[in-house]
Amino acid sequence: MRRRTGVSTTVQTAVLIAITAALAVAVVALWRPWEASGQAQSAALSAGIQQVHDLLLRREGATNLAHPVIVRPFAEAHAIEIEWKGRSVFVPAVVSTIEYVGPKQRIPGIYYLDRGEVDVLGSYVASNKLNYTTTGLDVVTYAVYTDREVRVVTKALPYISFSVDRVYNDVMVTVIVRVVYVTPYPANLEAFRQVLESGYVVPPGNMLTFRTNATRRTFYQLPESIDGGALRVFVDGQQVPQISFSTDEKAVLRVFVDYVTVTVWAR
């Protein structure tokens, strides 16, 4: 009887390698379109975040969002205190936000830092920072990562500045506080009340429009200080080191508070 010889081990190995390579090529071919689609969605999300930031900074304009956002008119409340020679002017500051919440993913232009918080636009890091600025740039965007999702926040920060001028023999100290309040266009009082409690949801595909509705200025002036005084500013009880001034001359303190209302609506 003749004995049948089987396929050699070398041939079997070569066949397995060929089959594995073919499967790998097929998997890559199927996966690439999904990868490209995911990259395009991430790029669109990044561009939408940039547009929201820029529109809030300009206080006007419109953008067609590809992702949902929620507008929170009263996201935070802070207290600003301007102290001058034992007397104080207290300014309530409401902080509004526009937020995107979605599954955890890497978004172009957003980089991981410690504690899950990142820089997005500018140099602001959310961790352990007070919600104010002294540089004149009063809009910031940052992201917070959790185990399963990412929350991208565009926030209108209070802006605080001061100047010192001489008017004849007097020293004039001027402090300016600017608060930006973002509010949706209310259909009625009940709808507006619900927005204040839960936020204003803008579905994807809607046109989001920003417009400066009003700017209201409030003025305070403390009595003249014959023998000078010292200026200190506090936010939530913590002193702002960038704003301090003292003089022995006759001085007057003026405080201007601008409340800027930005109306947003979707359609």
Side-chain angles (χ1 to χ4, degrees), residues 154-219:
T154 298
K155 178 182 295 185
L157 296 177
Y159 164 57
I160 310 171
S161 67
F162 85 110
S163 62
V164 179
D165 303 294
R166 182 174 294 280
V167 180
Y168 298 106
N169 294 323
D170 298 339
V171 175
M172 190 73 67
V173 183
T174 302
V175 178
I176 297 177
V177 179
R178 181 175 296 114
V179 178
V180 179
Y181 172 64
V182 183
T183 176
Y185 186 79
N188 53 59
L189 184 59
E190 180 59 28
F192 186 66
R193 185 180 296 110
Q194 293 177 0
V195 164
L196 296 183
E197 294 176 356
S198 58
Y200 176 59
V201 179
V202 180
N206 282 27
M207 180 71 71
L208 183 64
T209 303
F210 295 72
R211 179 174 296 173
T212 300
N213 185 265
T215 299
R216 180 171 58 87
R217 167 163 284 191
T218 303
F219 171 71

Short mmCIF file of all heavy atoms in Angstrom, two decimals, residues 154-219:
data_model
loop_
_atom_site.label_atom_id
_atom_site.label_comp_id
_atom_site.label_asym_id
_atom_site.label_seq_id
_atom_site.Cartn_x
_atom_site.Cartn_y
_atom_site.Cartn_z
N THR A 154 -17.42 77.07 27.63
CA THR A 154 -17.09 78.43 27.22
C THR A 154 -17.72 79.37 28.22
O THR A 154 -18.94 79.37 28.41
CB THR A 154 -17.61 78.72 25.80
OG1 THR A 154 -16.97 77.83 24.87
CG2 THR A 154 -17.30 80.15 25.39
N LYS A 155 -16.89 80.17 28.89
CA LYS A 155 -17.33 80.93 30.06
C LYS A 155 -17.06 82.42 29.87
O LYS A 155 -15.99 82.81 29.40
CB LYS A 155 -16.60 80.41 31.30
CG LYS A 155 -16.92 81.12 32.59
CD LYS A 155 -16.10 80.56 33.75
CE LYS A 155 -16.47 79.12 34.04
NZ LYS A 155 -15.76 78.61 35.24
N ALA A 156 -18.04 83.24 30.23
CA ALA A 156 -17.89 84.70 30.22
C ALA A 156 -17.42 85.15 31.60
O ALA A 156 -18.20 85.15 32.56
CB ALA A 156 -19.21 85.37 29.85
N LEU A 157 -16.15 85.53 31.71
CA LEU A 157 -15.57 85.88 33.00
C LEU A 157 -15.74 87.36 33.32
O LEU A 157 -15.72 88.20 32.42
CB LEU A 157 -14.07 85.57 33.01
CG LEU A 157 -13.66 84.11 32.87
CD1 LEU A 157 -12.15 84.00 32.82
CD2 LEU A 157 -14.20 83.30 34.03
N PRO A 158 -15.89 87.71 34.61
CA PRO A 158 -15.83 89.14 34.98
C PRO A 158 -14.43 89.69 34.70
O PRO A 158 -13.43 89.00 34.90
CB PRO A 158 -16.11 89.12 36.49
CG PRO A 158 -16.76 87.80 36.76
CD PRO A 158 -16.18 86.85 35.76
N TYR A 159 -14.39 90.93 34.24
CA TYR A 159 -13.12 91.59 33.92
C TYR A 159 -12.95 92.77 34.87
O TYR A 159 -13.87 93.57 35.06
CB TYR A 159 -13.14 92.06 32.46
CG TYR A 159 -12.09 93.08 32.11
CD1 TYR A 159 -10.74 92.82 32.31
CD2 TYR A 159 -12.46 94.31 31.55
CE1 TYR A 159 -9.78 93.75 31.97
CE2 TYR A 159 -11.50 95.25 31.21
CZ TYR A 159 -10.17 94.97 31.43
OH TYR A 159 -9.22 95.89 31.11
N ILE A 160 -11.77 92.88 35.49
CA ILE A 160 -11.50 93.93 36.46
C ILE A 160 -10.23 94.67 36.04
O ILE A 160 -9.21 94.04 35.74
CB ILE A 160 -11.30 93.37 37.88
CG1 ILE A 160 -12.44 92.42 38.26
CG2 ILE A 160 -11.20 94.50 38.90
CD1 ILE A 160 -12.21 91.66 39.54
N SER A 161 -10.29 96.00 36.01
CA SER A 161 -9.10 96.79 35.68
C SER A 161 -9.12 98.07 36.52
O SER A 161 -10.14 98.44 37.10
CB SER A 161 -9.05 97.14 34.20
OG SER A 161 -10.11 98.02 33.87
N PHE A 162 -7.97 98.73 36.59
CA PHE A 162 -7.94 100.01 37.31
C PHE A 162 -6.90 100.93 36.67
O PHE A 162 -5.99 100.48 35.96
CB PHE A 162 -7.63 99.79 38.79
CG PHE A 162 -6.17 99.69 39.13
CD1 PHE A 162 -5.54 100.70 39.84
CD2 PHE A 162 -5.43 98.58 38.76
CE1 PHE A 162 -4.19 100.60 40.16
CE2 PHE A 162 -4.10 98.46 39.09
CZ PHE A 162 -3.47 99.49 39.79
N SER A 163 -7.07 102.22 36.92
CA SER A 163 -6.12 103.22 36.43
C SER A 163 -5.99 104.32 37.45
O SER A 163 -6.88 104.52 38.30
CB SER A 163 -6.60 103.81 35.09
OG SER A 163 -7.85 104.47 35.26
N VAL A 164 -4.87 105.04 37.40
CA VAL A 164 -4.58 106.14 38.33
C VAL A 164 -4.26 107.37 37.49
O VAL A 164 -3.36 107.34 36.64
CB VAL A 164 -3.41 105.80 39.27
CG1 VAL A 164 -3.13 106.97 40.20
CG2 VAL A 164 -3.71 104.54 40.06
N ASP A 165 -5.00 108.46 37.71
CA ASP A 165 -4.80 109.71 36.98
C ASP A 165 -4.68 110.86 37.98
O ASP A 165 -5.16 110.78 39.12
CB ASP A 165 -5.97 109.97 36.02
CG ASP A 165 -6.17 108.84 35.04
OD1 ASP A 165 -5.30 108.62 34.20
OD2 ASP A 165 -7.20 108.15 35.15
N ARG A 166 -4.08 111.93 37.52
CA ARG A 166 -3.97 113.13 38.35
C ARG A 166 -4.82 114.23 37.73
O ARG A 166 -4.67 114.57 36.55
CB ARG A 166 -2.52 113.58 38.45
CG ARG A 166 -2.33 114.81 39.36
CD ARG A 166 -0.86 115.12 39.54
NE ARG A 166 -0.17 114.07 40.26
CZ ARG A 166 -0.21 113.94 41.60
NH1 ARG A 166 -0.92 114.79 42.33
NH2 ARG A 166 0.44 112.96 42.18
N VAL A 167 -5.74 114.77 38.54
CA VAL A 167 -6.59 115.88 38.12
C VAL A 167 -6.27 117.06 39.04
O VAL A 167 -6.67 117.07 40.22
CB VAL A 167 -8.08 115.49 38.20
CG1 VAL A 167 -8.95 116.64 37.75
CG2 VAL A 167 -8.36 114.25 37.36
N TYR A 168 -5.56 118.04 38.51
CA TYR A 168 -5.05 119.16 39.29
C TYR A 168 -4.22 118.62 40.46
O TYR A 168 -3.21 117.97 40.26
CB TYR A 168 -6.19 120.06 39.75
CG TYR A 168 -6.95 120.67 38.59
CD1 TYR A 168 -8.22 120.22 38.23
CD2 TYR A 168 -6.37 121.69 37.82
CE1 TYR A 168 -8.89 120.78 37.15
CE2 TYR A 168 -7.04 122.24 36.73
CZ TYR A 168 -8.28 121.78 36.41
OH TYR A 168 -8.93 122.31 35.33
N ASN A 169 -4.65 118.85 41.69
CA ASN A 169 -3.87 118.40 42.85
C ASN A 169 -4.43 117.12 43.45
O ASN A 169 -3.99 116.72 44.54
CB ASN A 169 -3.83 119.49 43.93
CG ASN A 169 -3.07 120.72 43.45
OD1 ASN A 169 -2.07 120.59 42.75
ND2 ASN A 169 -3.55 121.90 43.83
N ASP A 170 -5.38 116.50 42.80
CA ASP A 170 -6.00 115.29 43.33
C ASP A 170 -5.55 114.07 42.54
O ASP A 170 -5.24 114.15 41.34
CB ASP A 170 -7.52 115.36 43.27
CG ASP A 170 -8.07 116.51 44.11
OD1 ASP A 170 -7.33 116.95 45.03
OD2 ASP A 170 -9.20 116.95 43.85
N VAL A 171 -5.52 112.94 43.23
CA VAL A 171 -5.26 111.65 42.57
C VAL A 171 -6.61 110.97 42.34
O VAL A 171 -7.39 110.78 43.30
CB VAL A 171 -4.34 110.77 43.43
CG1 VAL A 171 -4.18 109.39 42.79
CG2 VAL A 171 -2.97 111.43 43.59
N MET A 172 -6.89 110.61 41.11
CA MET A 172 -8.14 109.96 40.76
C MET A 172 -7.87 108.49 40.48
O MET A 172 -7.16 108.14 39.55
CB MET A 172 -8.76 110.60 39.52
CG MET A 172 -10.18 110.16 39.25
SD MET A 172 -11.37 110.87 40.41
CE MET A 172 -11.28 112.62 39.97
N VAL A 173 -8.45 107.62 41.33
CA VAL A 173 -8.30 106.17 41.16
C VAL A 173 -9.60 105.62 40.59
O VAL A 173 -10.67 105.82 41.18
CB VAL A 173 -7.96 105.48 42.50
CG1 VAL A 173 -7.75 103.98 42.28
CG2 VAL A 173 -6.73 106.11 43.14
N THR A 174 -9.52 104.94 39.45
CA THR A 174 -10.72 104.43 38.77
C THR A 174 -10.63 102.91 38.66
O THR A 174 -9.63 102.38 38.16
CB THR A 174 -10.86 105.03 37.37
OG1 THR A 174 -10.92 106.46 37.47
CG2 THR A 174 -12.13 104.53 36.69
N VAL A 175 -11.67 102.23 39.10
CA VAL A 175 -11.78 100.78 38.98
C VAL A 175 -12.96 100.48 38.06
O VAL A 175 -14.05 101.04 38.24
CB VAL A 175 -11.97 100.10 40.34
CG1 VAL A 175 -12.14 98.59 40.17
CG2 VAL A 175 -10.79 100.39 41.26
N ILE A 176 -12.74 99.60 37.09
CA ILE A 176 -13.80 99.19 36.16
C ILE A 176 -14.04 97.70 36.30
O ILE A 176 -13.09 96.90 36.24
CB ILE A 176 -13.43 99.54 34.71
CG1 ILE A 176 -13.29 101.05 34.53
CG2 ILE A 176 -14.49 98.99 33.74
CD1 ILE A 176 -12.85 101.46 33.13
N VAL A 177 -15.29 97.33 36.51
CA VAL A 177 -15.70 95.92 36.57
C VAL A 177 -16.70 95.69 35.44
O VAL A 177 -17.69 96.42 35.32
CB VAL A 177 -16.34 95.57 37.92
CG1 VAL A 177 -16.78 94.11 37.94
CG2 VAL A 177 -15.37 95.85 39.07
N ARG A 178 -16.43 94.67 34.61
CA ARG A 178 -17.35 94.36 33.51
C ARG A 178 -17.84 92.92 33.68
O ARG A 178 -17.04 91.99 33.80
CB ARG A 178 -16.66 94.52 32.16
CG ARG A 178 -17.60 94.23 30.98
CD ARG A 178 -16.94 94.51 29.66
NE ARG A 178 -16.62 95.93 29.53
CZ ARG A 178 -15.39 96.42 29.48
NH1 ARG A 178 -14.36 95.61 29.56
NH2 ARG A 178 -15.18 97.71 29.37
N VAL A 179 -19.16 92.75 33.70
CA VAL A 179 -19.78 91.44 33.86
C VAL A 179 -20.62 91.16 32.62
O VAL A 179 -21.47 91.98 32.23
CB VAL A 179 -20.66 91.38 35.12
CG1 VAL A 179 -21.34 90.02 35.23
CG2 VAL A 179 -19.83 91.66 36.37
N VAL A 180 -20.38 90.01 31.97
CA VAL A 180 -21.12 89.62 30.77
C VAL A 180 -22.16 88.57 31.15
O VAL A 180 -21.82 87.52 31.70
CB VAL A 180 -20.18 89.07 29.69
CG1 VAL A 180 -20.97 88.64 28.46
CG2 VAL A 180 -19.14 90.11 29.31
N TYR A 181 -23.42 88.87 30.87
CA TYR A 181 -24.53 87.98 31.21
C TYR A 181 -25.13 87.45 29.91
O TYR A 181 -25.56 88.22 29.05
CB TYR A 181 -25.57 88.73 32.03
CG TYR A 181 -26.85 87.99 32.28
CD1 TYR A 181 -26.87 86.81 33.03
CD2 TYR A 181 -28.06 88.46 31.76
CE1 TYR A 181 -28.05 86.13 33.26
CE2 TYR A 181 -29.24 87.79 32.00
CZ TYR A 181 -29.23 86.63 32.73
OH TYR A 181 -30.40 85.95 32.96
N VAL A 182 -25.12 86.13 29.72
CA VAL A 182 -25.63 85.49 28.52
C VAL A 182 -27.01 84.91 28.82
O VAL A 182 -27.16 84.07 29.70
CB VAL A 182 -24.70 84.37 28.02
CG1 VAL A 182 -25.21 83.77 26.72
CG2 VAL A 182 -23.29 84.91 27.84
N THR A 183 -28.01 85.37 28.09
CA THR A 183 -29.38 84.93 28.36
C THR A 183 -30.08 84.55 27.06
O THR A 183 -29.89 85.21 26.03
CB THR A 183 -30.18 86.04 29.06
OG1 THR A 183 -31.55 85.62 29.24
CG2 THR A 183 -30.16 87.33 28.27
N PRO A 184 -30.85 83.48 27.06
CA PRO A 184 -31.63 83.14 25.86
C PRO A 184 -32.79 84.10 25.67
O PRO A 184 -33.25 84.74 26.62
CB PRO A 184 -32.12 81.72 26.15
CG PRO A 184 -32.15 81.64 27.65
CD PRO A 184 -31.03 82.50 28.14
N TYR A 185 -33.25 84.18 24.44
CA TYR A 185 -34.40 85.03 24.15
C TYR A 185 -35.65 84.34 24.69
O TYR A 185 -36.03 83.26 24.22
CB TYR A 185 -34.53 85.24 22.65
CG TYR A 185 -35.61 86.22 22.26
CD1 TYR A 185 -35.38 87.58 22.35
CD2 TYR A 185 -36.85 85.78 21.82
CE1 TYR A 185 -36.35 88.49 22.00
CE2 TYR A 185 -37.84 86.68 21.47
CZ TYR A 185 -37.58 88.04 21.56
OH TYR A 185 -38.56 88.95 21.23
N PRO A 186 -36.30 84.91 25.71
CA PRO A 186 -37.41 84.20 26.35
C PRO A 186 -38.70 84.26 25.53
O PRO A 186 -39.12 85.33 25.07
CB PRO A 186 -37.57 84.95 27.68
CG PRO A 186 -37.10 86.33 27.38
CD PRO A 186 -36.03 86.21 26.33
N ALA A 187 -39.32 83.10 25.32
CA ALA A 187 -40.62 83.07 24.64
C ALA A 187 -41.71 83.61 25.57
O ALA A 187 -42.60 84.33 25.15
CB ALA A 187 -40.95 81.65 24.21
N ASN A 188 -41.61 83.25 26.85
CA ASN A 188 -42.54 83.76 27.84
C ASN A 188 -41.88 83.63 29.21
O ASN A 188 -40.78 83.08 29.35
CB ASN A 188 -43.88 83.00 27.80
CG ASN A 188 -43.69 81.50 27.89
OD1 ASN A 188 -43.12 80.99 28.86
ND2 ASN A 188 -44.13 80.79 26.86
N LEU A 189 -42.55 84.11 30.23
CA LEU A 189 -41.96 84.14 31.57
C LEU A 189 -41.72 82.73 32.09
O LEU A 189 -40.67 82.46 32.70
CB LEU A 189 -42.87 84.91 32.53
CG LEU A 189 -42.33 85.11 33.95
CD1 LEU A 189 -41.01 85.86 33.92
CD2 LEU A 189 -43.35 85.84 34.82
N GLU A 190 -42.64 81.80 31.86
CA GLU A 190 -42.48 80.44 32.36
C GLU A 190 -41.31 79.74 31.67
O GLU A 190 -40.51 79.04 32.32
CB GLU A 190 -43.76 79.64 32.13
CG GLU A 190 -43.70 78.21 32.63
CD GLU A 190 -43.41 78.09 34.12
OE1 GLU A 190 -43.78 79.03 34.87
OE2 GLU A 190 -42.82 77.08 34.55
N ALA A 191 -41.17 79.93 30.36
CA ALA A 191 -40.04 79.33 29.65
C ALA A 191 -38.72 79.89 30.15
O ALA A 191 -37.74 79.16 30.30
CB ALA A 191 -40.19 79.58 28.15
N PHE A 192 -38.71 81.18 30.44
CA PHE A 192 -37.48 81.80 30.95
C PHE A 192 -37.14 81.26 32.33
O PHE A 192 -35.97 81.02 32.64
CB PHE A 192 -37.65 83.31 30.99
CG PHE A 192 -36.39 84.04 31.38
CD1 PHE A 192 -35.29 84.03 30.55
CD2 PHE A 192 -36.32 84.74 32.57
CE1 PHE A 192 -34.13 84.69 30.89
CE2 PHE A 192 -35.16 85.40 32.93
CZ PHE A 192 -34.07 85.39 32.09
N ARG A 193 -38.14 81.01 33.17
CA ARG A 193 -37.91 80.46 34.50
C ARG A 193 -37.31 79.05 34.39
O ARG A 193 -36.40 78.69 35.14
CB ARG A 193 -39.21 80.43 35.30
CG ARG A 193 -39.02 79.97 36.75
CD ARG A 193 -40.33 79.95 37.50
NE ARG A 193 -40.91 81.27 37.62
CZ ARG A 193 -42.01 81.68 37.00
NH1 ARG A 193 -42.65 80.84 36.18
NH2 ARG A 193 -42.47 82.90 37.16
N GLN A 194 -37.79 78.27 33.46
CA GLN A 194 -37.25 76.92 33.27
C GLN A 194 -35.80 76.97 32.78
O GLN A 194 -34.97 76.15 33.17
CB GLN A 194 -38.12 76.15 32.28
CG GLN A 194 -39.51 75.83 32.81
CD GLN A 194 -40.36 75.12 31.78
OE1 GLN A 194 -39.91 74.85 30.66
NE2 GLN A 194 -41.61 74.80 32.14
N VAL A 195 -35.50 77.95 31.92
CA VAL A 195 -34.13 78.10 31.43
C VAL A 195 -33.18 78.42 32.57
O VAL A 195 -32.06 77.89 32.64
CB VAL A 195 -34.08 79.20 30.35
CG1 VAL A 195 -32.65 79.66 30.11
CG2 VAL A 195 -34.69 78.69 29.05
N LEU A 196 -33.61 79.26 33.49
CA LEU A 196 -32.76 79.62 34.62
C LEU A 196 -32.47 78.41 35.50
O LEU A 196 -31.39 78.31 36.10
CB LEU A 196 -33.42 80.72 35.45
CG LEU A 196 -33.62 82.07 34.75
CD1 LEU A 196 -34.20 83.07 35.72
CD2 LEU A 196 -32.30 82.59 34.18
N GLU A 197 -33.41 77.48 35.57
CA GLU A 197 -33.23 76.31 36.42
C GLU A 197 -32.40 75.22 35.75
O GLU A 197 -31.51 74.63 36.37
CB GLU A 197 -34.59 75.75 36.83
CG GLU A 197 -35.40 76.70 37.72
CD GLU A 197 -36.78 76.15 38.03
OE1 GLU A 197 -37.12 75.08 37.49
OE2 GLU A 197 -37.52 76.78 38.81
N SER A 198 -32.69 74.94 34.48
CA SER A 198 -32.08 73.78 33.84
C SER A 198 -31.20 74.12 32.65
O SER A 198 -30.53 73.25 32.11
CB SER A 198 -33.17 72.79 33.38
OG SER A 198 -34.07 73.44 32.49
N GLY A 199 -31.18 75.39 32.21
CA GLY A 199 -30.37 75.78 31.06
C GLY A 199 -31.18 75.77 29.77
O GLY A 199 -32.28 75.22 29.69
N TYR A 200 -30.60 76.38 28.75
CA TYR A 200 -31.23 76.52 27.44
C TYR A 200 -30.54 75.57 26.47
O TYR A 200 -29.37 75.76 26.13
CB TYR A 200 -31.11 77.97 26.98
CG TYR A 200 -31.65 78.27 25.60
CD1 TYR A 200 -32.98 78.02 25.28
CD2 TYR A 200 -30.84 78.85 24.62
CE1 TYR A 200 -33.48 78.32 24.03
CE2 TYR A 200 -31.33 79.15 23.36
CZ TYR A 200 -32.65 78.88 23.07
OH TYR A 200 -33.16 79.18 21.83
N VAL A 201 -31.24 74.53 26.06
CA VAL A 201 -30.64 73.49 25.23
C VAL A 201 -30.77 73.86 23.76
O VAL A 201 -31.87 74.16 23.27
CB VAL A 201 -31.31 72.12 25.50
CG1 VAL A 201 -30.70 71.05 24.60
CG2 VAL A 201 -31.16 71.74 26.97
N VAL A 202 -29.63 73.82 23.05
CA VAL A 202 -29.62 74.08 21.61
C VAL A 202 -29.32 72.76 20.91
O VAL A 202 -28.20 72.24 21.01
CB VAL A 202 -28.56 75.13 21.26
CG1 VAL A 202 -28.56 75.39 19.75
CG2 VAL A 202 -28.80 76.42 22.03
N PRO A 203 -30.28 72.18 20.17
CA PRO A 203 -30.04 70.90 19.49
C PRO A 203 -29.04 71.06 18.34
O PRO A 203 -28.83 72.17 17.83
CB PRO A 203 -31.43 70.52 18.96
CG PRO A 203 -32.39 71.39 19.71
CD PRO A 203 -31.65 72.65 20.02
N PRO A 204 -28.41 69.97 17.92
CA PRO A 204 -27.49 70.04 16.77
C PRO A 204 -28.23 70.42 15.50
O PRO A 204 -29.39 70.06 15.31
CB PRO A 204 -26.91 68.62 16.69
CG PRO A 204 -27.92 67.75 17.38
CD PRO A 204 -28.52 68.60 18.46
N GLY A 205 -27.53 71.17 14.64
CA GLY A 205 -28.12 71.60 13.39
C GLY A 205 -28.81 72.94 13.45
O GLY A 205 -29.18 73.49 12.40
N ASN A 206 -29.01 73.48 14.65
CA ASN A 206 -29.67 74.79 14.78
C ASN A 206 -28.67 75.92 14.60
O ASN A 206 -27.49 75.79 14.89
CB ASN A 206 -30.34 74.91 16.15
CG ASN A 206 -31.66 74.17 16.22
OD1 ASN A 206 -31.86 73.20 15.51
ND2 ASN A 206 -32.55 74.61 17.08
N MET A 207 -29.19 77.06 14.14
CA MET A 207 -28.38 78.26 14.02
C MET A 207 -28.41 78.99 15.35
O MET A 207 -29.47 79.40 15.83
CB MET A 207 -28.93 79.16 12.90
CG MET A 207 -28.14 80.43 12.70
SD MET A 207 -26.52 80.13 11.95
CE MET A 207 -27.02 79.69 10.28
N LEU A 208 -27.23 79.15 15.97
CA LEU A 208 -27.12 79.85 17.25
C LEU A 208 -26.66 81.27 16.98
O LEU A 208 -25.61 81.50 16.37
CB LEU A 208 -26.12 79.13 18.16
CG LEU A 208 -25.95 79.69 19.57
CD1 LEU A 208 -27.25 79.57 20.36
CD2 LEU A 208 -24.83 78.96 20.30
N THR A 209 -27.46 82.26 17.44
CA THR A 209 -27.21 83.67 17.16
C THR A 209 -26.91 84.43 18.45
O THR A 209 -27.59 84.22 19.46
CB THR A 209 -28.42 84.30 16.45
OG1 THR A 209 -28.69 83.58 15.25
CG2 THR A 209 -28.16 85.76 16.11
N PHE A 210 -25.89 85.29 18.41
CA PHE A 210 -25.50 86.13 19.53
C PHE A 210 -25.74 87.60 19.16
O PHE A 210 -25.46 88.02 18.05
CB PHE A 210 -24.01 85.97 19.85
CG PHE A 210 -23.61 84.61 20.34
CD1 PHE A 210 -23.57 83.53 19.49
CD2 PHE A 210 -23.26 84.42 21.67
CE1 PHE A 210 -23.18 82.28 19.93
CE2 PHE A 210 -22.87 83.18 22.12
CZ PHE A 210 -22.84 82.10 21.26
N ARG A 211 -26.23 88.35 20.14
CA ARG A 211 -26.40 89.79 19.91
C ARG A 211 -26.32 90.53 21.24
O ARG A 211 -26.96 90.14 22.22
CB ARG A 211 -27.73 90.10 19.24
CG ARG A 211 -27.97 91.59 18.99
CD ARG A 211 -29.23 91.82 18.18
NE ARG A 211 -29.12 91.24 16.85
CZ ARG A 211 -30.13 91.17 15.98
NH1 ARG A 211 -31.32 91.63 16.32
NH2 ARG A 211 -29.95 90.63 14.79
N THR A 212 -25.54 91.62 21.27
CA THR A 212 -25.49 92.45 22.47
C THR A 212 -26.81 93.17 22.62
O THR A 212 -27.19 93.98 21.75
CB THR A 212 -24.33 93.46 22.39
OG1 THR A 212 -23.11 92.76 22.25
CG2 THR A 212 -24.29 94.31 23.65
N ASN A 213 -27.51 92.89 23.69
CA ASN A 213 -28.85 93.44 23.89
C ASN A 213 -28.81 94.77 24.63
O ASN A 213 -29.57 95.69 24.31
CB ASN A 213 -29.72 92.43 24.64
CG ASN A 213 -31.15 92.88 24.79
OD1 ASN A 213 -31.51 93.46 25.79
ND2 ASN A 213 -31.96 92.62 23.76
N ALA A 214 -27.91 94.89 25.62
CA ALA A 214 -27.84 96.12 26.40
C ALA A 214 -26.57 96.13 27.22
O ALA A 214 -26.01 95.08 27.54
CB ALA A 214 -29.06 96.25 27.32
N THR A 215 -26.11 97.33 27.53
CA THR A 215 -25.00 97.53 28.47
C THR A 215 -25.44 98.59 29.48
O THR A 215 -25.72 99.73 29.11
CB THR A 215 -23.71 97.99 27.76
OG1 THR A 215 -23.31 96.98 26.82
CG2 THR A 215 -22.60 98.21 28.76
N ARG A 216 -25.53 98.19 30.72
CA ARG A 216 -25.98 99.11 31.78
C ARG A 216 -24.79 99.42 32.69
O ARG A 216 -24.13 98.52 33.18
CB ARG A 216 -27.12 98.48 32.59
CG ARG A 216 -27.65 99.36 33.70
CD ARG A 216 -28.91 98.75 34.28
NE ARG A 216 -28.70 97.41 34.79
CZ ARG A 216 -28.28 97.12 36.01
NH1 ARG A 216 -28.00 98.11 36.86
NH2 ARG A 216 -28.11 95.88 36.40
N ARG A 217 -24.53 100.70 32.90
CA ARG A 217 -23.40 101.13 33.73
C ARG A 217 -23.89 101.69 35.06
O ARG A 217 -24.81 102.50 35.11
CB ARG A 217 -22.56 102.17 33.00
CG ARG A 217 -21.56 102.90 33.89
CD ARG A 217 -20.48 103.60 33.09
NE ARG A 217 -19.49 102.65 32.58
CZ ARG A 217 -18.33 103.03 32.02
NH1 ARG A 217 -18.03 104.31 31.90
NH2 ARG A 217 -17.48 102.12 31.58
N THR A 218 -23.26 101.22 36.13
CA THR A 218 -23.52 101.72 37.48
C THR A 218 -22.26 102.41 37.99
O THR A 218 -21.15 101.91 37.78
CB THR A 218 -23.91 100.56 38.43
OG1 THR A 218 -25.05 99.88 37.90
CG2 THR A 218 -24.25 101.08 39.81
N PHE A 219 -22.45 103.55 38.68
CA PHE A 219 -21.31 104.35 39.13
C PHE A 219 -21.35 104.53 40.64
O PHE A 219 -22.41 104.78 41.22
CB PHE A 219 -21.34 105.72 38.44
CG PHE A 219 -20.33 106.70 38.99
CD1 PHE A 219 -18.97 106.52 38.75
CD2 PHE A 219 -20.73 107.79 39.75
CE1 PHE A 219 -18.03 107.40 39.24
CE2 PHE A 219 -19.80 108.68 40.25
CZ PHE A 219 -18.45 108.49 40.00
#
